[in-house]
Amino acid sequence: MSWEDRELLAVVDFETTGLSPRQGARATEVAVVWVRGDELVDQYSSLMHTGVPIPPFIERLTGISERMLETANPAATVMRELAERQPPCPLIGHNVGFDAQFWRDEMQRADCPAHAEPARLCTVKLARRLYPQAPNCKLGTLAAFHELAPQGRAHRALADALTTALLWLQMRQDIVHHLGSELGGAPVNFALADRLQALPFARGECLL
């Protein structure tokens, strides 16, 4: 059995006006990088106009201003484009719970309910189990820890999605390298990583 698994996974990142749609926050930018096996096969990114004000500290963090969004496509248009482009597949995100809530909210607002509840995988949870020796599990810290190539300004959707995709590929390689004999030839795919991210662990304990 081959280590290679060719399932399609969607690495997603949102920039937003706040922490939660329940608090009235909306997306300002989205990016998706599609991964198949060890390849980045496609990508999409777009600013999104909702009319919701951007707090000053968010503008400083992301560099996204309300003026930039004046000519952006409406959020519903962007999400419908993603729904048409992406077959149903699992989402990967760095702190994926944050991105998943905005994915759900914006897909539902765009009348795309079939795409609103995909399975999901969190690279933060995996990193805590795979790399306890890392200083912390922030995306930038893990990228530096693994010497991943810079992908652009942090806290912009495409740069963060690309970095998360590269981190996922690094995780696949490390799982194969360290756990190969224990896995018995099973592919390193979403299902396996989903089981690993759910394993209990003690702080400082490494699964590899």
Side-chain angles (χ1 to χ4, degrees), residues 16-27 52 58 97-102 104-106 109:
T16 69
T17 63
L19 294 177
S20 171
R22 293 182 180 180
Q23 299 172 357
R26 295 290 303 276
V52 174
I58 294 288
F98 174 86
D99 295 295
Q101 65 178 336
F102 284 96
R104 179 189 309 113
D105 183 70
E106 297 294 352
R109 288 175 181 271

Side-chain angles (χ1 to χ4, degrees), residues 26 48-49 73-81 106 109-110 112:
R26 295 290 303 276
M48 305 166 63
H49 179 68
N73 283 331
T77 299
V78 173
M79 299 309 291
R80 288 173 189 145
E81 287 179 357
E106 297 294 352
R109 288 175 181 271
C112 301

Side-chain angles (χ1 to χ4, degrees), residues 20-201:
S20 171
R22 293 182 180 180
Q23 299 172 357
R26 295 290 303 276
T28 58
E29 187 176 42
V30 63
V32 178
V33 177
W34 286 276
V35 180
R36 195 184 294 277
D38 286 327
E39 297 181 64
L40 310 185
V41 296
D42 200 2
Q43 65 185 48
Y44 174 95
S45 65
S46 179
L47 294 169
M48 305 166 63
H49 179 68
T50 65
V52 174
I54 301 175
F57 80 95
I58 294 288
E59 182 175 341
R60 291 193 295 271
L61 179 69
T62 67
I64 299 172
S65 66
E66 292 176 26
R67 184 171 184 178
M68 289 170 60
L69 299 184
E70 288 176 356
T71 57
N73 283 331
T77 299
V78 173
M79 299 309 291
R80 288 173 189 145
E81 287 179 357
L82 276 173
E84 292 174 0
R85 188 164 179 169
Q86 175 176 312
C89 69
L91 295 183
I92 298 178
H94 202 69
N95 190 16
V96 75
F98 174 86
D99 295 295
Q101 65 178 336
F102 284 96
W103 180 275
R104 179 189 309 113
D105 183 70
E106 297 294 352
M107 279 294 182
Q108 290 175 343
R109 288 175 181 271
D111 295 322
C112 301
H115 285 72
E117 296 290 347
R120 62 199 199 198
L121 179 70
C122 184
T123 50
V124 172
K125 288 183 179 180
L126 271 178
R128 286 173 179 158
R129 289 156 175 80
L130 301 180
Y131 311 121
Q133 69 274 37
N136 58 59
C137 288
K138 294 179 180 179
L139 184 59
T141 301
L142 291 169
F145 180 76
H146 291 292
E147 300 182 346
L148 302 179
Q151 300 300 310
R153 174 176 174 157
H155 303 296
R156 288 300 301 265
L158 184 57
D160 284 358
L162 285 167
T163 300
T164 303
L166 294 177
L167 177 61
W168 162 243
L169 297 187
Q170 180 69 50
M171 288 173 163
R172 277 173 51 95
Q173 293 176 11
D174 291 340
I175 292 168
V176 169
H177 179 72
H178 291 281
L179 297 181
S181 60
E182 297 178 35
L183 297 176
V188 180
N189 57 12
F190 175 85
L192 173 62
D194 187 37
R195 293 196 296 273
L196 290 177
Q197 75 172 350
L199 288 176
F201 75 109

